[in-house]
Amino acid sequence: MTRRLLVTSALPYANGPIHLGHLVEYIQTDIWVRFQKSRGHNCIYVCADDAHGTAIMLKAEQNGVTPEAQIATVKADHEADFSGFHIEFDNYHSTHSPENKKMSEFIYLKNRDGGHITTRPVRQLFDPEKQLFLADRFIKGECPKCGAKDQYGDSCEVCAATYAPTELKNPYSTISGATPIEKESEHYFFKLPDFDGMLKEWTRSGHLQSEVSNKLDEWFESGLHDWDISRDAPYFGFAIPDAPNKYFYVWLDAPIGYMASFENLCAKKNLNFDDYWAADAEGKTEIYHFIGKDIVYFHALFWPAMLDGAGFRKPTGIFAHGFLTVNGQKMSKSRGTFIKARSYLDNLNPEYLRYYFAAKLSGSVEDIDLNLEDFTFRVNSDLVGKVVNIASRCAGFINKQFEGKLADSCAEPELLAQFVDAGTSIAEHFERRDFGRAVREIMALADKANQYIDEKKPWALAKDPANREQVQAVCSVGLNMFRQLIVYLAPILPVTAEASRSFLNVDSLAWDTRQQLLISHTINAFTPLMTRVEKDKVAAMVEASKENLEPTAKVVAAPVAKEANIEAIAPTINIDDFTKIDLRVAKIVNAEHIPEAAKLLKLTLDLGNEQRTVFAGIKSAYKPEDLIGRLTVMVANLAPRQMKFGVSEGMVLAAGAGGKEIFLLSPDDGSTAGMKVK
């Protein structure tokens, strides 16, 4: 049965370039869409640039252009990067479009008229020089809890405290440097609690991954809140109807951009918008959103609620993925720790990355790591050494000795049947977005194909003219196995698949064509399908990105430990660097709560010949009384740090994901306090 699907990826923001972290999502979506199309389904993939907000307005001002010119330039760059990675949208649009304006106003008015919009005054910080209200990220100051300087308006990176921007001490605008003032303004709110019952049922009805549903349960338990959907002028976006100098917050019209991009496509292709988005279309068509786990709240709560309030159908499924790290380092746009898509494309084949991401991706929200050494090894081993190698080993004999003609019969029907039948389970993995399992099964088949060729040794058989038919039979089986593998890999490697289709001289590599064996079939001349990853090219890409990379320590515990920091592995060091670190076994002789600190415990450590005070961010995992008497490892030669609660004279070492999963590195071998760790 042919399915009718509409698929979207989250909209990239139009204030900067695409980087490899973004590409996890677009590559994942593109592979899934190509798979659906290969199966013969009617699958449409739309996206757009997210083009509104204060950040866009300020970026344009900084560049000396209009916001419209700014977003047009970035959109062209985005589309070029996506095209470079063979991401094939059926339509790529912009949220700054007539379709999105019309649809945003329609959805807002339907919800307003349905009683789901309310207004109330809000006090915010205001930049008196720029004459605009400041979002949290445009305000810095001293943390009201620990006094740390240059902290953002919502949370402290030093003590991990959260607070309102108005609580910052000595705040300043990051835009102008001016001291902000408090100012009151009328804001418009979407009454999300009106949809509490519907959302509880919808989020538990198979539309989300189980991990996402479980996370949403925490928000339901704490209670849903009204959502501020307005921003004051000046603001680059759409004006709210009947609300002078008020604009839709960028997150209101961004997801509506999915509908707008599709409506734009409908006008081009004579499609019926209501066939997909009308309330009664649910069950007849399928709508899927691929997103990052950081924007689940907007997509799984606000978005279905807005759609429901406006009389539209809700998505069939929302698929969240995790973040990308590179060599264990956390990628952060705010810190510039990213490798740009263009930096990659300037040095490496995009299909290398498509394959590597596919090999790492599952249907869960787990993060994935791009380890560049493993990346080089896996691509060279799997794609070049296994898959492409099958074609190159067999094609030469067929082209040179048999004028490109394959055998008139199949010498190994049972073996080839295994390759054909494997398509059923591989398809199930693709459908569930478990690309990693699909790749493992495909590579197991590739191993089997190479094992067959190694056992038959056509190069040895070819030395004796009497083995002529056997050589043709073996190589024909090999090329048929290669054909099956390329059918399965085509959604991941579209360019290599097209080159293989031409070489194999077949009309299509659609999923079901794997069942048609190539018998008495003539192939074309073979040309190399893929070259090995060159380490110097990888090094050149890293070198070009060095200005964007800052290492973030992964395993630390310490006076300033924060859960978000216990994530990325530090860069490699040499032995001279390591010998500078003085690690000592210390006995915890006392541990105390610090009432005003959310994360810290005060530890008194005995090193044998002296005692030290260390503030450690482990309160969420340990009770003070359970620590007294335990041994731990500490960095003894770390420079003392003045904190609000006193001086911290070192750092205790711990590992873990954060929260209750923080584990002190505790030597249990009877080591005495003060002993140096070697």
Side-chain angles (χ1 to χ4, degrees), residues 541-568:
M541 177 189 70
V542 172
E543 189 65 29
S545 304
K546 269 189 176 177
E547 62 180 1
N548 298 322
L549 294 173
E550 289 179 7
T552 301
K554 173 167 190 167
V555 183
V556 304
V560 297
K562 178 181 176 184
E563 289 183 19
N565 287 337
I566 308 178
E567 293 189 14

Side-chain angles (χ1 to χ4, degrees), residues 158-351:
V158 175
C159 71
T162 58
Y163 41 75
T166 51
E167 295 180 78
L168 276 176
K169 297 177 182 177
N170 300 317
Y172 64 91
S173 165
T174 61
I175 301 170
S176 69
T179 300
I181 60 174
E182 280 195 50
K183 193 172 180 180
E184 189 172 273
S185 173
E186 190 82 358
H187 274 233
Y188 289 68
F189 291 82
F190 177 71
K191 297 162 67 175
L192 187 63
D194 288 358
F195 300 89
D196 183 85
M198 179 277 290
L199 289 170
K200 284 179 178 175
E201 180 181 355
W202 186 80
T203 56
R204 278 295 179 186
S205 300
H207 303 288
L208 309 171
Q209 295 133 298
S210 58
E211 309 101 301
V212 174
S213 296
N214 293 337
K215 182 63 181 177
L216 292 178
D217 281 347
E218 297 177 17
W219 285 322
F220 285 126
E221 288 172 9
S222 62
L224 300 181
H225 302 285
D226 290 350
W227 177 35
D228 190 342
I229 61 169
S230 66
R231 294 295 184 267
D232 292 276
Y235 191 80
F236 183 59
F238 295 139
I240 299 178
D242 308 319
N245 296 317
K246 304 293 180 181
Y247 290 80
F248 288 128
Y249 173 43
V250 61
W251 262 111
L252 181 129
D253 69 68
I256 297 172
Y258 302 141
M259 304 173 83
S261 182
F262 180 65
E263 186 177 24
N264 180 259
L265 180 66
C266 288
K268 298 175 183 177
K269 300 291 186 180
N270 197 28
L271 300 171
N272 189 324
F273 181 88
D274 290 339
D275 284 346
Y276 289 79
W277 286 101
D280 61 2
E282 203 158 354
K284 301 173 186 175
T285 59
E286 304 169 51
I287 295 177
Y288 297 100
H289 301 309
F290 284 74
I291 63 168
K293 64 182 180 181
D294 55 327
I295 54 176
V296 161
Y297 197 89
F298 293 103
H299 280 80
L301 293 179
F302 297 133
W303 178 228
M306 283 197 303
L307 290 169
D308 191 68
F312 290 108
R313 57 85 53 83
K314 295 176 284 295
T316 310
I318 296 175
F319 304 138
H321 60 81
F323 299 138
L324 176 72
T325 56
V326 177
N327 288 341
Q329 292 184 345
K330 189 176 180 181
M331 296 186 71
S332 169
K333 192 171 182 180
S334 64
R335 298 188 181 97
T337 56
F338 62 86
I339 298 173
K340 297 176 186 177
R342 187 51 49 185
S343 299
Y344 180 100
L345 291 171
D346 287 343
N347 292 281
L348 294 166
N349 182 338
E351 291 199 319

Side-chain angles (χ1 to χ4, degrees), residues 592-609:
E592 307 171 42
H593 279 299
I594 305 173
E596 61 269 42
K599 303 287 185 181
L600 302 179
L601 292 179
K602 180 181 179 181
L603 306 180
T604 303
L605 305 179
D606 184 358
L607 278 76
N609 60 346

Side-chain angles (χ1 to χ4, degrees), residues 23 26 53 133 146 150 156 214 217 234 262 283 302 329 332 346 386 430 446 458 482 490 493 511 527 539 569 592 659:
L23 286 168
Y26 301 100
F133 286 96
C146 73
D150 294 323
C156 177
N214 293 337
D217 281 347
F262 180 65
F302 297 133
Q329 292 184 345
S332 169
D346 287 343
K386 294 180 182 179
F430 270 112
F482 172 75
L493 309 173
W511 203 262
T527 56
I569 297 173
E592 307 171 42

